[in-house]
């Protein structure tokens, strides 16, 4: 039943044609929720839609920052709710990197997928640390790893957002917030 409904969702998405752009980023959360269902066939059908969303936004805006921001935000929420697993992380990376391979925007796409995959890894580690009987030091280590990831993401955002914000300033920012 899930697989049939997933094919229907995929078909409806494809039938939107040029109207897809009007559903970006709004459908990222719902689609992400579907892809996190622990069923490989469902994931194989739906994950490529994120590539399609990236491609449409890239064509319209010259970047896919809305897709990136929404995907990271929703992923954080859904993983903290207990959804997602290591198999999802690996499949997400594999499928999207394969799709991006032929794109003119391959370099930024690979960077984005790598970044999201690392974030997923840290979110899954953090979730596992917090629910396990791990020592306090390990829990603190997981928290620090997650915070460093978010600080690095913020640093890249600031360098994109504020051109005068140089790499040197970004490194000072990161050092200052690590202490």
């Amino acid at each position: 039943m899930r697989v049939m409904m997933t094919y229907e969702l995929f078909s409806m998405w494809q039938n939107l044609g040029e109207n897809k752009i009007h559903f970006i980023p709004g459908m990222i959360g719902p689609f992400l929720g579907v892809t996190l269902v622990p069923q490989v066939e469902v994931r194989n059908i739906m994950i490529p839609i994120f590539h399609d969303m990236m491609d449409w936004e890239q064509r319209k805006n010259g970047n896919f920052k809305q897709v990136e921001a929404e995907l990271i935000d929703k992923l954080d929420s859904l993983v903290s709710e207990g959804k997602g697993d290591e198999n999802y992380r690996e499949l997400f990376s594999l499928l999207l990197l394969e799709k991006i391979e032929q794109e003119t925007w391959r370099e930024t796409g690979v960077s984005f997928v790598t970044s999201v995959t690392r974030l997923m890894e840290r979110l899954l580690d953090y979730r596992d640390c917090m629910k396990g009987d791990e020592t306090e030091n390990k829990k603190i280590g997981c928290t620090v790893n997650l915070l460093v990831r978010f600080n690095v993401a913020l640093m890249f955002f600031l360098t994109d957002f504020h051109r005068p914000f140089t790499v040197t300033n970004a490194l000072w920012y990161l050092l200052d917030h690590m202490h």
Side-chain angles (χ1 to χ4, degrees):
M1 182 68 142
R2 284 182 181 163
V3 174
M4 273 181 18
M5 293 310 297
T6 303
Y7 277 118
E8 286 297 317
L9 275 173
F10 184 82
S11 177
M12 284 189 267
W13 175 255
Q14 294 305 322
N15 288 333
L16 286 172
E18 292 189 15
N19 291 313
K20 290 176 186 177
I21 197 68
H22 301 294
F23 295 92
I24 300 170
M27 288 304 295
I28 290 173
F31 285 166
L32 188 60
V34 172
T35 65
L36 289 168
V37 169
Q39 193 168 358
V40 176
E41 197 169 354
V42 168
R43 292 172 173 180
N44 280 327
I45 297 164
M46 293 298 290
I47 289 173
I49 289 178
F50 297 126
H51 164 265
D52 198 34
M53 289 179 161
M54 291 165 67
D55 189 46
W56 277 97
E57 187 179 2
Q58 179 71 29
R59 283 189 245 168
K60 181 181 182 230
N61 300 330
N63 62 57
F64 41 85
K65 292 194 181 298
Q66 283 186 311
V67 171
E68 181 178 10
E70 189 71 9
L71 191 61
I72 289 170
D73 181 52
K74 297 302 183 207
L75 190 60
D76 179 26
S77 298
L78 292 166
V79 170
S80 67
E81 290 173 11
K83 296 179 170 106
D85 53 41
E86 186 62 28
N87 293 331
Y88 178 80
R89 185 187 69 79
E90 290 171 5
L91 190 61
F92 178 90
S93 178
L94 179 76
L95 292 175
L96 287 181
L97 288 175
E98 184 179 292
K99 289 277 193 187
I100 289 168
E101 201 171 275
Q102 302 303 315
E103 299 293 350
T104 57
W105 44 268
R106 175 180 55 253
E107 192 175 313
T108 54
V110 167
S111 176
F112 165 68
V113 171
T114 303
S115 177
V116 170
T117 303
R118 270 192 251 127
L119 173 62
M120 263 191 269
E121 181 179 10
R122 286 187 175 78
L123 288 169
L124 291 167
D125 285 348
Y126 181 77
R127 183 184 72 195
D128 292 344
C129 273
M130 291 303 144
K131 72 178 177 185
D133 290 335
E134 304 294 335
T135 64
E136 285 301 309
N137 285 340
K138 187 164 183 187
K139 287 181 179 181
I140 290 170
C142 287
T143 304
V144 167
N145 280 340
L146 192 60
L147 288 172
V148 166
R149 164 63 182 100
F150 280 115
N151 272 327
V152 170
L154 180 59
M155 180 182 74
F156 284 117
F157 170 77
L158 289 173
T159 57
D160 282 346
F161 189 68
H162 303 289
R163 279 293 131 199
F165 194 83
T166 65
V167 173
T168 305
N169 289 347
L171 290 173
W172 277 113
Y173 168 84
L174 189 57
L175 281 171
D176 186 47
H177 284 82
M178 288 179 73
H179 293 288

